Each structure stands twice: as C-alpha cells, then as structure tokens.
Amino acid sequence: MNTQGSVVHAPAGFLSSSSKGQTSHDEKHRFVGVRDPRKIRILQFHPDLGHPRRTNNRVLPPELLLLIFEHVYADNMLNEEWIPCNSQSRTQFPFAPAAVCQAWRDVLASVPRFWTRIIINLDTTKLSHVDIYLHLSRNLVFEIIVTRDQRIVSQSRTNDDEGARAAAVMARIIPHLRRCKSLCFQLVRSSSLPALRHLNICAPLLERLKLQCGIDDGEHPLVSSEVPEQWRFDAPALRYLFLNGRNFRDACALHWVELLASLEDLCVSRYSGGKHPTGELHLHDVLLVVDRLHRRFERLQMLTLQDISFDGTLVQQDGYDIQIEAMSMQSIDFSTVRTIFASKNGPAPHLVHIKHELAPSLYHIRLTQADTLVLEGPFMRMAEAINIWDGNCLSIKNSSTFNDRTIRDIYRSWNPDKLTSPSWSRLYIENCTEFSADALLELIDARGVAVQRARDRDPTSQAPINSLRGLKVHGGPPISPKDTEAFKEKLPQMEWHEAATGTRH
C-alpha cells in the first residue's frame, strides 16, 4: 500500500490543540495527509500505559518515524496476517508506541493499516477510544479482541458491570461488522457475552468468531425462551467458530452452525449443565451438528469440547460419522468421552487430545486407530489406555503421573501374542519431570526385544512392526552425558531439554 497517498479524516472530538486534549471547532473537520502528520492531535490511546512521556523525539523527522513504524508493523505480520498476540501485553503495536509522545501518535494515526488489529480492554479502554480505533482503520478489513485486564479481575471481589461495558462496546462494533474479519470476546462471565441470537446482521468477511468466557453464570439478559422468528446472521466465510455452551445451544436451535459451508474449526466451551428455561445442551446436539457438517461440506477439521457438563449424553444407537482430522476433549467427564468413542462408527480422527486438570482414570477408553494421541494432565491407569491404542505418535504433556512406574507398566503389559503391539514409533514428552532417563532406556530396550521376537515368530508377516525411532523431551528431568549417548545410539532421532537448567542435548 502506498502510504504517501493515504488520507485520514478526523472525527469530532478526535483532534486536540494541546496536550491537555482541548479541541477547537475548526480542527474537528480537518483532513490530514501523511506528508504533514504533525497537524493531527490524538487523544491518549492506551490508558494502560499511563501518560505520554517527555522524550526528545523532535530530532526525528516524520518520514524517519514512519519508516521505523513500518518495520515494527512488518515484524507483527506473517503472510499479510497479524501474528497471534497476548492481549494482556503492554507492548502491543501500535498502542505502545502511540503512548510515547504526541509526535509518534501523529505519525501512527496517518497509516490506516497500523490500526487493523484493535484490542479493547474493558477495564482500561475508554468507549470514546473504541470509536477512534475503528475510525483510524478507515475502510480496511480489521480484527478486534475484547478482553479483560486479568490483574484487575483477580483483585476484584465484586460482581462488576462487565456485561454493560461489553454491550456498549458491541454496539459500537456492529456498524463496522461488514468489514470485520475476526471478532473475539474473551470475558469472565457467560452472561456478559454478546447473544448470538441478537447478531442479526450480514458479516461477509468474518472468518473467526470467538465468544468465550471463564465461568458459566447464566444467560445474557436479553435471551428469552422463544427462538426469534426472523433471524439471519449471514457469515458465509466463517472458518473458525468458538462458542460458549449457551450460544452454541442457541446456534443449534436456530439451525445455524450446520449451514456454515466454510467451517474448519469448531470449539464449544463453558457450560455448567442443569435445567434452564431457555433449553438444554446435550451431547447429541454437538455430534449431530458435526455429523451433518461432514456429510454436507466435508470441511470441518477440528472439534474441541472444553469444560462442559452436558444436560444429557444419550446418543442415537446407530452412531455418528464424525470424520474429522482432530478432536480435543478438555475437562470433560470421562463417561462422556467414552460415550463419544462408543457411538462413533467412522474412521478415528488423525489426532486425539485429552486434557484434564484432575486425575481421572483412562481405563476402558478405547482410542484405537488415531495416529496421534495427546494426553495432557494427571491420569490414573495411563498405561492401560496407551496399550489399547494402535497409533503412531504418543505425546504426554504436563503430567505428574507420568513417572517410572507408569513407564514400566506400559512395557510390562505388552501383549506378546500381538505382533504389532504397540505400533507407536514416536514419543514426545513435554513439561514432565517425575520420570527418569533410566526408565525410558528400559522401555526402548523392551520395545527392541518385542519387535525382534515378533519378527522371529513370523518373518513373512507384512504387518507393520515399529521400533521406537523418535524421542523428544521438552521440560524434562536432568540427564547425564552417558545417558545422552545411550539414547543417541538407540534412536535415529533424539532431543532432550532440561526443565531446571534449560540445557539441550
């Protein structure tokens, strides 16, 4: 884009004739070009960052500042997309440099591209600044994140006005939704999130919609038990949909999700269960939507279920053909997990990820055929679940129960009569420190013996008999140079990163 020819129109209340923000009537309707950015005066952009500092920046001409900011902008982009960021960070571009001084803000405001990712913090961002940010992006496609300041949230003991502030921000976003590419709300309570049934609008460019919360405390105040008679939220380009449980329940009632022809990633989270006047959320609802999406469009690749207590887990007896690449179940009751796989009659997902904060038993969850199995968190009877799984890559994350005993239980319970047991050839371990290198070396040796025994028993067998060939440990226990050499002799691929020292082997 040629920034030399860009023009920004300053709305009323946007320009200031002094550092105190006093605005003259004549300046309110002035057009400002990039060649003379010093004519524009902008309000303090990011209250998070305090008052502008006094700096000696007048020696830098606007053209040089613009060149510097272009480089910073480029560092935040990848393939013409904003790189994912931490919305809590105080160093976000362009908000952080805009808080340095008026001259910097003037130059930044002259380039609409800089303002195509907007981060709204309900605890610190003024409503008037929301209007400014939306104006600065001109007619360009933009993405917006609405969030909370976690430091303020953690210190607050009262039920603040999160819902009212979120509604006020959403009211300002709605007129610009036609050019919005990504809309993300990351709030504390479900009742504060925008209600899906009130997004009665066309959003032709919207690719990502996130309505997520930390706790499920009930409905949005405007949600009633009656489904709207005339409702049309048109988002034909939507690829990533992340909804809290109540909004997803509404999406099912409105038969909306199953019409999203471009949908690739679906996440349903935060639902506390129980009887509700506005309806219930059943496991049947989720699996039915996934099944229909697959049959109609064959685009859905990822399904995530997180922190949901379904009102009912009964499913149709004939099962569901949930043919997707990846499935992630996080903090889900294990009877629900078993039901999902028991009801499945199609091929297994390529990747299955199970995460839990507690230590439930993995027993009797048959995860056969999935190529990659990711187990995250503490689990009881982990070895039994691993040994009835027939995939290729095993990944263990953040698990205090992955220890020497678990490792030994894995290889001691291998079935000597099953030639391909186990078939996995890659092991990834992340942020686990309760095991030892000795136990892993024993597992590798035991696997070698099992493979050789299987080959000796049936030399003509065409069945795949895999040795353990790849080991990657990140955030693991210390390892001696002797053990390092032993791993490298036994495995074609080996990486080891120690959690305590940061040493890599």
Side-chain angles (χ1 to χ4, degrees):
M1 179 182 293
N2 183 4
T3 58
Q4 295 288 337
S6 301
V7 177
V8 176
H9 176 254
F14 178 68
L15 302 179
S16 61
S17 58
S18 70
S19 60
K20 295 182 180 180
Q22 296 176 348
T23 308
S24 68
H25 177 75
D26 292 338
E27 287 176 318
K28 292 180 181 179
H29 304 284
R30 183 175 300 171
F31 286 81
V32 183
V34 170
R35 291 185 181 274
D36 190 12
R38 288 168 293 185
K39 292 182 180 179
I40 193 168
R41 293 294 181 265
I42 306 174
L43 297 174
Q44 173 63 42
F45 279 96
H46 213 286
D48 254 352
L49 301 167
H51 297 288
R53 304 186 187 95
R54 292 183 178 275
T55 55
N56 186 19
N57 295 311
R58 296 189 180 279
V59 295
L60 296 177
E63 293 79 9
L64 180 56
L65 281 173
L66 179 60
L67 182 62
I68 294 172
F69 294 146
E70 288 282 3
H71 281 286
V72 179
Y73 169 77
D75 287 341
N76 282 270
M77 305 296 290
L78 180 64
N79 298 327
E80 299 183 354
E81 298 281 347
W82 284 95
I83 297 173
C85 68
N86 176 9
S87 59
Q88 301 294 314
S89 173
R90 293 189 169 196
T91 61
Q92 292 300 336
F93 179 86
F95 305 103
V100 171
C101 67
Q102 190 67 53
W104 287 32
R105 293 196 293 277
D106 294 346
V107 176
L108 287 163
S110 65
V111 185
R113 285 182 295 113
F114 293 168
W115 302 93
T116 52
R117 180 173 66 186
I118 304 169
I119 299 176
I120 306 299
N121 191 312
L122 293 184
D123 297 293
T124 57
T125 305
K126 295 180 179 179
L127 284 176
S128 59
H129 293 170
V130 177
D131 296 328
I132 292 174
Y133 300 154
L134 290 167
H135 174 84
L136 286 175
S137 60
R138 293 292 303 278
N139 292 321
L140 299 180
V141 177
F142 72 94
E143 55 188 73
I144 189 164
I145 300 172
V146 182
T147 186
R148 296 289 307 273
D149 189 315
Q150 294 304 316
R151 295 163 300 171
I152 295 177
V153 170
S154 61
Q155 296 172 3
S156 176
R157 297 182 179 179
T158 60
N159 188 6
D160 57 21
D161 57 344
E162 177 186 74
R165 285 178 287 162
V169 170
M170 189 64 196
R172 283 163 167 78
I173 296 173
I174 286 292
H176 303 270
L177 205 56
R178 291 190 62 86
R179 60 185 179 94
C180 183
K181 182 179 182 179
S182 175
L183 175 62
C184 301
F185 275 75
Q186 301 167 352
L187 305 182
V188 176
R189 294 181 293 277
S190 62
S191 60
S192 302
L193 292 171
L196 186 67
R197 63 173 67 189
H198 292 285
L199 293 179
N200 196 2
I201 197 169
C202 180
L205 305 179
L206 191 66
E207 294 184 3
R208 183 185 302 271
L209 175 63
K210 277 190 176 184
L211 302 178
Q212 295 186 304
C213 57
I215 59 174
D216 179 27
D217 72 328
E219 307 288 356
H220 186 283
L222 298 179
V223 172
S224 65
S225 59
E226 297 181 0
V227 176
E229 294 183 2
Q230 295 183 347
W231 179 86
R232 182 177 177 82
F233 179 25
D234 191 11
L238 197 62
R239 298 168 58 193
Y240 310 101
L241 179 61
F242 303 81
L243 294 179
N244 66 307
R246 295 172 188 273
N247 268 315
F248 181 81
R249 184 202 58 210
D250 272 6
C252 293
L254 297 165
H255 301 288
W256 178 68
V257 178
E258 57 199 59
L259 301 178
L260 299 176
S262 301
L263 193 63
E264 300 174 9
D265 193 341
L266 172 63
C267 174
V268 186
S269 64
R270 300 290 188 272
Y271 185 77
S272 58
K275 303 297 182 180
H276 303 285
T278 52
E280 299 177 348
L281 177 62
H282 295 259
L283 177 61
H284 168 86
D285 300 330
V286 179
L287 297 182
L288 189 62
V289 165
V290 173
D291 188 31
R292 288 176 176 173
L293 282 170
H294 167 70
R295 294 178 185 276
R296 293 179 181 180
F297 310 115
E298 298 185 357
R299 294 288 300 271
L300 187 65
Q301 300 293 311
M302 178 74 180
L303 170 65
T304 301
L305 303 177
Q306 179 181 3
D307 189 23
I308 301 176
S309 297
F310 288 103
D311 292 315
T313 59
L314 296 178
V315 296
Q316 294 177 346
Q317 294 181 355
D318 57 351
Y320 296 84
D321 187 16
I322 44 179
Q323 296 186 30
I324 55 178
E325 280 293 303
M327 180 181 293
S328 177
M329 290 156 286
Q330 306 176 24
S331 298
I332 300 295
D333 181 83
F334 268 66
S335 64
T336 302
V337 177
R338 280 191 287 269
T339 300
I340 290 174
F341 284 96
S343 67
K344 181 162 173 35
N345 59 9
H350 181 83
L351 180 149
V352 172
H353 176 203
I354 300 178
K355 178 181 178 181
H356 217 283
E357 303 297 332
L358 304 176
S361 174
L362 284 167
Y363 188 56
H364 283 162
I365 298 180
R366 183 167 291 275
L367 305 173
T368 57
Q369 299 180 356
D371 183 75
T372 300
L373 174 62
V374 182
L375 299 178
E376 183 172 358
F379 294 103
M380 299 170 58
R381 307 180 76 171
M382 183 185 298
E384 296 180 22
I386 291 173
N387 284 332
I388 61 174
W389 162 70
D390 294 330
N392 181 50
C393 177
L394 175 63
S395 179
I396 310 293
K397 296 183 177 181
N398 306 311
S399 179
S400 58
T401 56
F402 186 74
N403 49 35
D404 288 0
R405 179 177 178 178
T406 298
I407 293 173
R408 294 185 175 111
D409 285 345
I410 290 174
Y411 67 79
R412 286 173 179 170
S413 59
W414 283 339
N415 184 354
D417 297 324
K418 186 178 179 183
L419 298 182
T420 59
S421 175
S423 63
W424 45 281
S425 61
R426 291 177 291 158
L427 176 60
Y428 298 154
I429 305 171
E430 183 177 338
N431 296 330
C432 301
T433 58
E434 300 300 318
F435 70 96
S436 68
D438 290 341
L440 277 186
L441 286 169
E442 292 174 12
L443 182 143
I444 295 170
D445 291 338
R447 181 58 187 155
V449 171
V451 168
Q452 188 60 50
R453 184 171 59 237
R455 288 173 177 166
D456 292 343
R457 181 177 299 177
D458 189 359
T460 62
S461 174
Q462 300 300 314
I465 305 174
N466 297 326
S467 300
L468 188 61
R469 300 182 59 81
L471 173 66
K472 185 175 181 179
V473 178
H474 187 274
I479 183 174
S480 68
K482 180 180 178 181
D483 288 337
T484 302
E485 291 303 317
F487 279 114
K488 291 182 177 179
E489 289 177 4
K490 298 175 184 294
L491 300 173
Q493 298 176 341
M494 180 269 185
E495 296 179 25
W496 195 295
H497 167 265
E498 297 181 6
T501 65
T503 304
R504 296 183 179 274
H505 302 274

